[in-house]
Structures are given as structure tokens and as C-alpha cells.
């Protein structure tokens, strides 16, 4: 799942050449996206920054898409791309999958929203309970809603306010978790006692102070921080975390780490929420829970669950979810269990994300990672590939990234930026930003992966020419 990093030093890369290539590729991308530039002029008049979400913004303008089908998307300049971004990892089914199109088309004619329970909700719950080995489920409309309500449930269950997370991990845009992510390296503080820092403005200090972050892959630091919090009278309600980090590229758990986390949280009576918004349904039928054989108290799902419609879910043990069943916690929402979303989720779970689909994703990812690995070795530039099932990336670093500190210290942001430009200029649609990974879909082919590998070879060839 992770290759050995090529251990050359950054000095091997000619930085002037990198800058020259960035400039050249930026000009090429700008020249190829003139219609996007026109859309941007229209868009920014009445839509802030010309985009619906700040994560879609880009300088000098965002690239506006027109449609997608299978493994491909098209932009408004009519350029065709193989899609490795896949809606920030939501579209593991690929675009306009016939089974999902059919389910949504059938449903749309029957009425699109009632705010009343329906049969698809039951079918989806039965399937999720089987896949994630958690009996009790509830629905929402996004990953942020899922993590927000899961944390509230944990607080109600334990009667405590403080929560813990992993430093550098993203769990959505509500106040509880917009803490200690994307902060400058020199502000992180002491590893044993990381600072709680807001991610952007508008987050109350009182809320920020209630969220304590610890390093990934360090069970000792987790336990020591828990013990200190207990001494301070601030015992945490829960630890929310991804089993494999998906917003520092991909960072895998080291052997034994997740088992220790389970043991420590259980020992201290702290609920363990495994946030599967990115991993769930993408790295295995039962997400990271299945892949790493976990027994969390709750999991949160979103993204791929809805097959392209807004979705979210929380799964929990009966003991924990009794707090909702009893009416003590109001887990509510007008659009929860929306019929279109649930029809798409049902079709996706029963007809698309089948055992064969996961075999296909695994084969594709192995092929893509092996292809990139061979190029890294051939050109002897610092980096390694890492991935699980539909997810993966090439991390440009001479050492393996294990947590936020090692990411900030070692990941080569410039090459990551250049790789994105190379991809976009060669028909490979990738997520912008140095934190993201690729997501393959069940409709991707070996040829699609080869297009990525060829683009990657051209990048390394030009860097070393
Ligand atoms: C792990 C994780 N949790 C939660 C979220 C929030 O999901 P949403 O953007 O649907 O609110 C994200 C979004 O990227 C995520 O990666």
C-alpha cells in the first residue's frame, strides 16, 4: 500500500527549472480555458469569488465544468479529461452511472421530498449495518452534518464537552472541528501539547479551546494528552479521526496504531468516532472499518454514499444510539433521508459498489501505483506512491509522511503544484491543492490510468531534462 520513498534530496531538483515549468504550464492552462475565464467574469458579479464553495476557487480563475460521463468530465472550453478528482472523492461510482441515473429518474417522477420515512431508508440502513458492522443508522446531508451530530451524540452520551481530533485532519466546516488544520508549521507548538488553532475566522475561541488535537500515528502522545486532560478536569467525550488520513495526500496508519487507539479510548471511556466521509465505501465495501478490522463506537459517512447526491450518515452501536432513540439528543433535519439521495444510495450499494467493483478498483489502483513507482525509480526524484483501493497519490517527499508535522516539513509543495498543472494540461482532471489524492471510479479503465502514468512520465522527464 506504500512504496519505499526514493531518498534523493530536494537539491537534486533544479528550482529555477521548476519555476520555469510552472510558468509555462500556467500560461498553457490559461490559454486553454478562455471560456472559463469568461464564465468567471460573469460568475463573480453575484457569486462570491465566482464559486459556490471556497474550495473550488482558483487563481486566476476556476475551471468551470459542463458535464461528466463514466470516467470523464468536460470543461466549458470542451476539453475532455479523465476525472481523478471525482468530486473530492464522492464519485467512486463514476459519472452518470446507468444504475444510479435509472434509480434517480424513477424516483424524481414520484416526488422529490416529503420529510417522511420511506422504504429506501430501510434498505440502505440494512446494507450499511452489514457493511460497517454497526446496527444503528441516521441520515443527514453532508459530511459536516454527520461529524457535527456524531460529536453531539458523544457529548450527550458521556456528559463531557472536550473533544479530541488529529492535528491537520479535516472533518468538515462546523466550529467543533475547524480547529488545528492547515496552520503554518511554526505555529503547531509542542508535539505533546499541540495548540488549538482556529481554521479561518469566525470560530468562537471557547469552541476552539474545547477541541484538542494530537499527532497521527502516535498512540503514546494520545494517551499522555488524555491523562493530562483528565488531571485538568477536561476528560474528552470522544476522539474523532480518519483511520487513514485523506487530506495530507494519503497517510496510512502504522501497524498496531489503530488497535492502540481503540484500546486507549476504551480504557478511558472515550468514544471513538471513525470519520469515513472519504474512506467509507471507497477503500472497501465496509470502508476503513472493514479494511483495518476496526470496532468504532460511531462512524460518519457522506460523499460516496449519495452517488453524487448530497448525503451523510452516522452509524453507531445500540448503546450509543440509544441517546437518540430515547429522545435525549435531537438528531434532526428537514432533508434527512431525501428520497432522491436514498434512491441513489440504494442503487449504488446494491448494484454498483459490488464485490466485483472493489476487485476492479484494487486492480486499477495497483496498476496506477506501480506505473508511478516505476517512473519515480527511473528518474530518481524524491517521492513515493501510497494508496488504498480507489484512493492514492504520489507524495513528493524523500521520507514517508506519517503525520502533519512530517507532511509540513517534507512535502514538496512546488512539485505538487507543477504536477497538478501537468495533469490539467494533459487531460487528467485532478483536485487542486497539495493535500488531496486521486479517487478512481468503477467506470475507470486501465487506459485511463495509463493516461495518468504517461502524464507523470512527461513531468519527470521534463524536470530532469
Ligand atoms: C474526512 C472528512 N470528514 C468530513 C468532511 C466534510 O464533508 P462535507 O464537505 O460533505 O461537509 C470531509 C470533506 O472533505 C472529509 O474529508
Amino acid at each position: 500500500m506504500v512504496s519505499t520513498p526514493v531518498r534523493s534530496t530536494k537539491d537534486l531538483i533544479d528550482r529555477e527549472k521548476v519555476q520555469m515549468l510552472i510558468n509555462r504550464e500556467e500560461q498553457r492552462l490559461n490559454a486553454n480555458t478562455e471560456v472559463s475565464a469568461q464564465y468567471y467574469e460573469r460568475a463573480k458579479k453575484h457569486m462570491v469569488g465566482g464559486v459556490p464553495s471556497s474550495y473550488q476557487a482558483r487563481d486566476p480563475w476556476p475551471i468551470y465544468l459542463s458535464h461528466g460521463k463514466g470516467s470523464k468530465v468536460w470543461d466549458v472550453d470542451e476539453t475532455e479529461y479523465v476525472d481523478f478528482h471525482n468530486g473530492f472523492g464522492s464519485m467512486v461510482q463514476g459519472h452518470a452511472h446507468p444504475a444510479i441515473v435509472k434509480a434517480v429518474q424513477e424516483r424524481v417522477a414520484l416526488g422529490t421530498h416529503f420529510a417522511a420515512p420511506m422504504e429506501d431508508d430501510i434498505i440502505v440502513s440494512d446494507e450499511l449495518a452489514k457493511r460497517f458492522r454497526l446496527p444503528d443508522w441516521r441520515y443527514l446531508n453532508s459530511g459536516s452534518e454527520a461529524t457535527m451530530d456524531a460529536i453531539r451524540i458523544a457529548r450527550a452520551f458521556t456528559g463531557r464537552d472536550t473533544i479530541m481530533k488529529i492535528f491537520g485532519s479535516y472533518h468538515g466546516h462546523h466550529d467543533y472541528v475547524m480547529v488545528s488544520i492547515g496552520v503554518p508549521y511554526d505555529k503547531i507548538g509542542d508535539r505533546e501539547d499541540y495548540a488549538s488553532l482556529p481554521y479561518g475566522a469566525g470560530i468562537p475561541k471557547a469552541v476552539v479551546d474545547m477541541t484538542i488535537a494530537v499527532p497521527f500515528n502516535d498512540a503514546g502522545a494520545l494517551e499522555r494528552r488524555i491523562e493530562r486532560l483528565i488531571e485538568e478536569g477536561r476528560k474528552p467525550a470522544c476522539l474523532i479521526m480518519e483511520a487513514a488520513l485523506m487530506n495530507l495526500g494519503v497517510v496510512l496508519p502504522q501497524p498496531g496504531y489503530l488497535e492502540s487507539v481503540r484500546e486507549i479510548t476504551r480504557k478511558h471511556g472515550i468514544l471513538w468516532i471513525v470519520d469515513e466521509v472519504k474512506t467509507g465505501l471507497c477503500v472497501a465495501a465496509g470502508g476503513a472499518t472493514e479494511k483495518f478490522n476496526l470496532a468504532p463506537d460511531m462512524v460518519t459517512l457522506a460523499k460516496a454514499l449519495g452517488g453524487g447526491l448530497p448525503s451523510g450518515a452516522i452509524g453507531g452501536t445500540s448503546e450509543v444510539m440509544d441517546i437518540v432513540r430515547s429522545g435525549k439528543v435531537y438528531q434532526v433535519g428537514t432533508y434527512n433521508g431525501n428520497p432522491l439521495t436514498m434512491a441513489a444510495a440504494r442503487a449504488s450499494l446494491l448494484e454498483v459498489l459490488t464485490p466485483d467493483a472493489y476487485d476492479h478498483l484494487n486492480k486499477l489502483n495497483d496498476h496506477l501505483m506501480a506505473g508511478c513507482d516505476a517512473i519515480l525509480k527511473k528518474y530518481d526524484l524524491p517521492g513515493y506512491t501510497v494508496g488504498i483501493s480507489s484512493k492514492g497519490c504520489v507524495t513528493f517527499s524523500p521520507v514517508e509522511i506519517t503525520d502533519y508535522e512530517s507532511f509540513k516539513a517534507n512535502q514538496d509543495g512546488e512539485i505538487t503544484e507543477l504536477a497538478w498543472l501537468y495533469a490539467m494540461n494533459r487531460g487528467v482532471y485532478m483536485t487542486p491543492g497539495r493535500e488531496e489524492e486521486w479517487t478512481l471510479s468503477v467506470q475507470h479503465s486501465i487506459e485511463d490510468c495509463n493516461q495518468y502514468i504517461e502524464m507523470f512520465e512527461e513531468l519527470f522527464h521534463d524536470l530532469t531534462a
Side-chain angles (χ1 to χ4, degrees):
M1 289 196 285
V2 55
S3 68
T4 310
V6 173
R7 285 184 182 271
S8 315
T9 66
K10 280 186 186 177
D11 301 340
L12 283 180
I13 300 174
D14 176 349
R15 293 287 143 182
E16 271 177 32
K17 179 176 279 175
V18 174
Q19 209 44 60
M20 184 274 286
L21 290 173
I22 287 178
N23 293 343
R24 187 190 77 188
E25 293 295 318
E26 266 174 358
Q27 280 170 18
R28 182 169 161 184
L29 187 58
N30 292 347
N32 289 340
T33 56
E34 281 175 1
V35 179
S36 274
Q38 291 160 21
Y39 271 53
Y40 181 53
E41 287 308 309
R42 271 172 66 201
K44 69 184 181 186
K45 276 193 199 137
H46 298 296
M47 181 162 53
V48 179
V51 286
S53 156
S54 297
Y55 288 147
Q56 296 170 17
R58 177 188 161 259
D59 199 27
W61 53 75
I63 292 156
Y64 293 82
L65 293 193
S66 61
H67 64 291
K69 180 124 187 67
S71 61
K72 308 272 172 47
V73 289
W74 286 264
D75 71 13
V76 291
D77 286 87
E78 296 178 15
T79 303
E80 177 182 297
Y81 304 84
V82 180
D83 190 1
F84 289 86
H85 167 58
N86 270 311
F88 277 124
S90 301
M91 298 309 303
V92 74
Q93 302 87 350
H95 300 292
H97 190 289
I100 296 178
V101 169
K102 181 166 176 282
V104 173
Q105 273 176 345
E106 283 173 6
R107 185 67 250 172
V108 81
L110 297 172
T112 55
H113 192 59
F114 309 106
M118 300 183 71
E119 189 183 9
D120 280 346
D121 313 346
I122 305 170
I123 297 169
V124 169
S125 301
D126 289 351
E127 185 63 24
L128 293 180
K130 224 174 3 187
R131 289 181 179 227
F132 290 85
R133 297 176 305 201
L134 284 167
D136 286 348
W137 290 82
R138 270 291 172 92
Y139 298 95
L140 322 90
N141 306 292
S142 69
S144 297
E145 289 182 37
T147 60
M148 181 175 70
D149 280 14
I151 290 169
R152 178 176 299 153
I153 290 167
R155 283 178 160 149
F157 184 82
T158 58
R160 304 176 205 134
D161 290 343
T162 302
I163 64 164
M164 297 185 90
K165 71 183 283 287
I166 298 297
F167 204 101
S169 235
Y170 184 73
H171 297 287
H173 58 265
H174 58 88
D175 293 351
Y176 308 158
V177 288
M178 288 283 271
V179 180
S180 302
I181 333 160
V183 293
Y185 188 47
D186 59 354
K187 297 237 165 66
I188 296 173
D190 172 12
R191 188 177 176 82
E192 289 292 311
D193 201 20
Y194 278 151
S196 294
L197 301 163
Y199 181 41
I203 303 164
K205 183 166 183 313
V207 178
V208 171
D209 291 345
M210 272 190 274
T211 300
I212 305 294
V214 290
F216 190 60
N217 270 328
D218 192 340
L222 168 69
E223 182 148 40
R224 289 189 291 277
R225 193 78 193 256
I226 290 173
E227 283 164 355
R228 280 200 306 283
L229 287 168
I230 293 172
E231 276 167 26
E232 292 163 19
R234 295 201 289 157
K235 186 169 174 174
C238 62
L239 166 67
I240 183 164
M241 62 182 278
E242 293 184 283
L245 302 189
M246 291 283 159
N247 74 325
L248 303 176
V250 174
V251 181
L252 297 179
Q254 288 173 346
Y257 170 63
L258 295 172
E259 290 78 358
S260 299
V261 169
R262 178 64 286 190
E263 219 176 278
I264 293 163
T265 47
R266 191 171 275 142
K267 182 169 107 188
H268 291 282
I270 293 166
L271 295 189
W272 190 31
I273 304 171
V274 174
D275 182 358
E276 294 237 36
V277 165
K278 272 198 164 170
T279 50
L281 307 171
C282 285
V283 301
T289 301
E290 176 191 322
K291 194 91 191 171
F292 300 113
N293 194 23
L294 309 178
D297 298 296
M298 275 183 271
V299 301
T300 48
L301 298 180
K303 293 198 195 273
L305 172 65
L309 280 95
S311 68
I314 303 172
T317 61
S318 296
E319 197 191 0
V320 169
M321 292 308 242
D322 272 346
I323 203 99
V324 177
R325 217 179 338 261
S326 68
K328 284 195 184 127
V329 166
Y330 296 105
Q331 195 284 313
V332 295
T334 301
Y335 270 87
N336 292 5
N338 170 260
L340 288 184
T341 295
M342 297 313 262
R346 188 235 316 131
S348 162
L349 291 169
L350 301 187
E351 300 170 53
V352 182
L353 299 179
T354 58
D356 283 352
Y358 291 102
D359 286 347
H360 179 63
L361 290 169
N362 291 338
K363 271 192 207 114
L364 289 182
N365 217 35
D366 288 349
H367 178 81
L368 181 50
M369 285 176 57
C372 293
D373 261 342
I375 293 162
L376 284 164
K377 294 214 170 75
K378 177 170 161 190
Y379 290 92
D380 192 32
L381 288 176
Y384 63 97
T385 61
V386 52
I388 348 176
S389 198
S390 61
K391 303 275 193 185
C393 65
V394 176
T395 298
F396 298 103
S397 162
V399 294
E400 191 185 338
I401 306 284
T402 54
D403 59 12
Y404 189 75
E405 274 186 60
S406 55
F407 175 80
K408 278 289 192 193
N410 295 297
Q411 195 226 29
D412 192 324
E414 255 184 355
I415 304 288
T416 310
E417 161 71 9
L418 181 61
W420 182 80
L421 290 165
Y422 261 69
M424 293 299 288
N425 283 329
R426 288 157 189 79
V428 171
Y429 191 71
M430 275 295 291
T431 317
R434 50 187 289 196
E435 290 88 11
E436 291 295 331
E437 65 284 328
W438 67 60
T439 301
L440 305 176
S441 86
V442 302
Q443 298 190 71
H444 276 60
S445 64
I446 290 287
E447 291 70 44
D448 291 331
C449 296
N450 286 342
Q451 190 168 334
Y452 189 106
I453 295 165
E454 280 159 25
M455 171 280 292
F456 196 62
E457 168 122 45
E458 201 179 328
L459 165 68
F460 270 44
H461 170 268
D462 292 356
L463 269 173
T464 51

